[in-house]
Amino acid sequence: MRKHIFNAGPCKLSDMALENTAKAVMELGTCGQSILEVSHRSSDFQAIYDETVALFKEVLEIPDNYSVMFMGGGASLQFCMVPYNFLKTKAAYIDSGTWSTKAMAEAELFGEVVEICSSKDRDYVYFPEIPEIPADVDYLHITTNNTIRGTEILKDIDSPVPVIADMSSDICSRPVDVSKYDLIYGGCQKNLGPAGLVFVIIKNEFLDKVVADRKIPTMLKYKTHVKNGSMYNTPPCVNIYTVGQTLKWIKESGGLKEMERRAIAHSDALYAEIERNSMFIPVVDEGSRSRMNIPFIMAPGKEELADAFMAACKKADIVGIKGHRSVGGFRASCYNACTDEDVAALIQVMKDFENSQK
Ligand SMILES: *Cc1c(COP(=O)(O)O)cnc(C)c1O
């Protein structure tokens, strides 16, 4: 039996993406080979790759003057590839939590990092107010959803300099205005597919004009991957296949407006229960709350019941709600494939747990 999966990443995927991937692992179409065996240079795979890119462009409404790439290395490799390719003298960074802090540490290897705002003072429980963005930086880096802390900026910002966004954990959960960004990247394992694959969306003019003047190893150059259609080396073929199936599922389900409607319904329902239930309290300030990752802790005086609540979740086939090891408490991650039934099951356990303590 499938459990109610609230894992933060890798995360739950749609039945359609799983079933079609399982079939393709046995045989891709009628080509007599598995997706694990087929050559990435074959027309069979090229068709899959092209369809995946086309679906991504359609679903996310990516303008024509942008290129899409898929590559390995995880979002963490992008923390270094971004400054390696684009940081000439200094770059502005928004410090909104663990992942942005890691991105800043990598950028410091290549130039000056200007931290324009931070929510570190209160342990990242809110999304920092963005001040005036300096005009003399090469780019501004933003993490739109802070997976570990559960904060999210739900708007596209206006900026006098190119904006580079880590959208690992909220990509395709709502419509975004891609034209406001020069580069968007993310690990696929939180809303699109399996771990180990990264998507990069880049404005062509940005890539052509703005690259830093330094020697960059071939594999770490964005130009290499754009020029070779993500096939300079062997790409993670099965991961790309699954992302394609997820995008097809998103499209058939009603696109990003529907993903957003579900995300709002799920996060609103969970937050309403966290606020109502005397056993729990929320962590994140109202107005900064992520729709994807919802952290909560035991109410004051109830701390010693945390293990009992975890046990109750386990009994109800709910997995993945333990908070990140650096933060503690609980975190329910409700990515695109999360269903109404999953959320209802978690809310029921919370209600039952409260009643059991009366
Ligand atoms: C998970 C995550 C990462 C790291 O992704 P990897 O693929 O594990 O390197 C980076 N940024 C954000 C916002 C994330 O949620």
Side-chain angles (χ1 to χ4, degrees):
M1 192 209 109
R2 236 163 118 57
K3 299 200 169 170
H4 300 292
I5 301 169
F6 290 93
N7 291 332
C11 69
K12 181 172 180 177
L13 295 173
S14 67
D15 289 345
M16 178 178 149
L18 293 177
E19 282 161 15
N20 290 350
T21 302
K23 271 189 221 145
V25 164
M26 293 320 292
E27 184 179 3
L28 179 63
T30 54
C31 81
Q33 305 165 75
S34 161
I35 181 72
L36 303 177
E37 300 166 324
V38 74
S39 166
H40 60 296
R41 308 273 176 213
S42 67
S43 55
D44 294 298
F45 185 73
Q46 188 65 49
I48 286 162
Y49 181 82
D50 293 343
E51 190 191 9
T52 304
V53 169
L55 275 166
F56 202 20
K57 286 186 169 168
E58 182 185 344
V59 165
L60 198 57
E61 295 184 36
I62 300 171
D64 288 340
N65 59 326
Y66 283 69
S67 298
V68 170
M69 307 160 248
F70 290 100
M71 62 180 97
S76 300
L77 187 63
Q78 299 301 308
F79 296 163
C80 104
M81 273 181 76
V82 162
Y84 214 162
N85 283 260
F86 298 115
L87 206 176
K88 295 175 188 164
T89 53
K90 51 181 174 172
Y93 276 71
I94 293 167
D95 177 31
S96 54
T98 311
W99 295 117
S100 54
T101 310
K102 286 189 171 175
M104 286 162 72
E106 295 300 297
E108 275 163 9
L109 300 172
F110 301 97
E112 190 186 332
V113 170
V114 184
E115 181 189 289
I116 59 163
C117 55
S118 171
S119 47
K120 194 175 180 181
D121 62 331
R122 286 181 48 230
D123 227 2
Y124 301 109
V125 296
Y126 64 101
F127 203 100
E129 189 73 39
I130 300 172
E132 199 180 325
I133 298 158
D136 64 341
V137 294
D138 297 319
Y139 61 83
L140 169 73
H141 181 279
I142 182 168
T143 311
T144 51
N145 183 67
N146 297 283
T147 325
I148 294 174
R149 303 293 173 159
T151 66
E152 185 174 13
I153 183 167
L154 289 161
K155 59 172 196 266
D156 305 306
I157 55 171
D158 292 304
S159 162
V161 298
V163 179
I164 296 182
D166 175 357
M167 292 197 188
S168 293
S169 50
D170 58 353
I171 189 74
C172 288
S173 67
R174 60 188 162 88
V176 292
D177 182 353
V178 174
S179 73
K180 293 211 164 160
Y181 303 85
D182 281 61
L183 192 156
I184 301 173
Y185 69 86
C188 289
Q189 70 271 28
K190 290 161 188 148
N191 256 324
L192 294 177
L197 186 69
V198 173
F199 67 84
V200 179
I201 303 162
I202 190 165
K203 196 191 226 170
N204 295 333
E205 299 92 277
F206 184 57
L207 184 62
D208 288 340
K209 291 200 197 106
V210 195
V211 174
D213 182 22
R214 64 166 66 90
K215 285 188 178 155
I216 303 172
T218 313
M219 274 295 284
L220 299 182
K221 247 187 267 182
Y222 287 112
K223 276 193 175 159
T224 303
H225 299 282
V226 172
K227 210 165 72 193
N228 292 282
S230 303
M231 301 214 200
Y232 173 75
N233 71 325
T234 322
C237 299
V238 68
N239 301 40
I240 291 170
Y241 184 85
T242 308
V243 168
Q245 296 307 309
T246 299
L247 289 166
K248 217 179 262 183
W249 170 79
I250 290 174
K251 186 180 161 182
E252 284 176 14
S253 304
L256 298 194
K257 286 228 167 71
E258 172 62 14
M259 294 301 120
E260 182 176 45
R261 189 199 64 75
R262 292 179 190 181
I264 291 172
H266 294 160
S267 56
D268 280 358
L270 267 173
Y271 265 114
E273 178 60 17
I274 294 164
E275 304 265 16
R276 185 209 62 78
N277 195 309
S278 60
M279 291 289 130
F280 308 102
I281 53 168
V283 179
V284 175
D285 288 0
E286 248 176 288
S288 291
R289 291 174 177 175
S290 166
R291 294 170 184 157
M292 299 286 102
N293 311 99
I294 297 149
F296 56 101
I297 54 176
M298 301 307 297
K302 311 284 185 199
E303 292 87 350
E304 77 284 2
L305 296 172
D307 287 347
F309 179 63
M310 279 304 287
C313 287
K314 191 169 176 210
K315 214 171 144 205
D317 288 320
I318 286 166
V319 296
I321 65 147
K322 198 170 168 50
H324 189 268
R325 55 191 147 63
S326 66
V327 180
F330 310 101
R331 171 180 50 168
S333 297
C334 305
Y335 297 114
N336 282 344
C338 176
T339 62
D340 295 350
E341 291 73 35
D342 293 331
V343 173
L346 178 53
I347 289 174
Q348 194 58 50
V349 173
M350 294 166 81
K351 284 189 197 303
D352 291 347
F353 189 71
E354 183 186 36
N355 288 332
S356 75
Q357 299 300 322
K358 276 184 181 149

